[in-house]
Amino acid sequence: EEIPPIKNGNPITDRRSTFQPHLAPVVTPSQVKMVLEKLYENKKIASATHNIYAYRIFCEDKHSFLQDCEDDGETAAGGRLLHLLQVIIRRVIVCFSRVPWVEL
């Protein structure tokens, strides 16, 4: 199984906090793990104040979703992110790193 391509979005600043978004298409839990491991290889991401993520994978054979999220200390942030995925997306992991810098 190969690691899916990871896209890094433009940093978003809100109330003196800057968030760096990351996105990757995933179809298995092992791909979720590979994406997170790859992201954490970057020292800036690994040392970010918070790394908030959520993923949602549609399991064709069971006609159900495998999903989870992580707040990393930002109260309810992962759950809110997962809720957005439940509304609009099926096979993806989205991660936001709260960072003290503007660019990776």
Side-chain angles (χ1 to χ4, degrees), residues 3 6 8 12 23 26 29 50 75 81 87 91 99 101-102 104:
I3 185 168
I6 301 171
N8 298 304
I12 301 163
L23 177 84
V26 293
H50 302 283
T75 305
L81 186 56
V87 172
R91 298 175 182 97
V99 296
W101 70 93
V102 176
L104 289 176

Side-chain angles (χ1 to χ4, degrees), residues 42-61:
N42 182 312
K43 291 180 183 179
K44 289 182 179 181
I45 294 172
S47 65
T49 308
H50 302 283
N51 284 297
I52 304 153
Y53 68 86
Y55 67 88
R56 182 166 164 84
I57 301 168
F58 184 69
C59 302
E60 306 265 346
D61 57 338

Side-chain angles (χ1 to χ4, degrees), residues 1-8 20-42 45-46 51-57 91-97 104:
E1 200 169 27
E2 292 185 21
I3 185 168
I6 301 171
K7 302 289 184 186
N8 298 304
Q20 175 69 52
H22 317 282
L23 177 84
V26 293
V27 293
T28 66
S30 60
Q31 284 184 323
V32 170
K33 184 178 178 181
M34 287 189 293
V35 167
L36 292 171
E37 287 172 351
K38 184 68 175 175
L39 287 172
Y40 295 146
E41 286 177 8
N42 182 312
I45 294 172
N51 284 297
I52 304 153
Y53 68 86
Y55 67 88
R56 182 166 164 84
I57 301 168
R91 298 175 182 97
V92 71
I93 178 172
V94 178
C95 176
F96 281 89
S97 302
L104 289 176

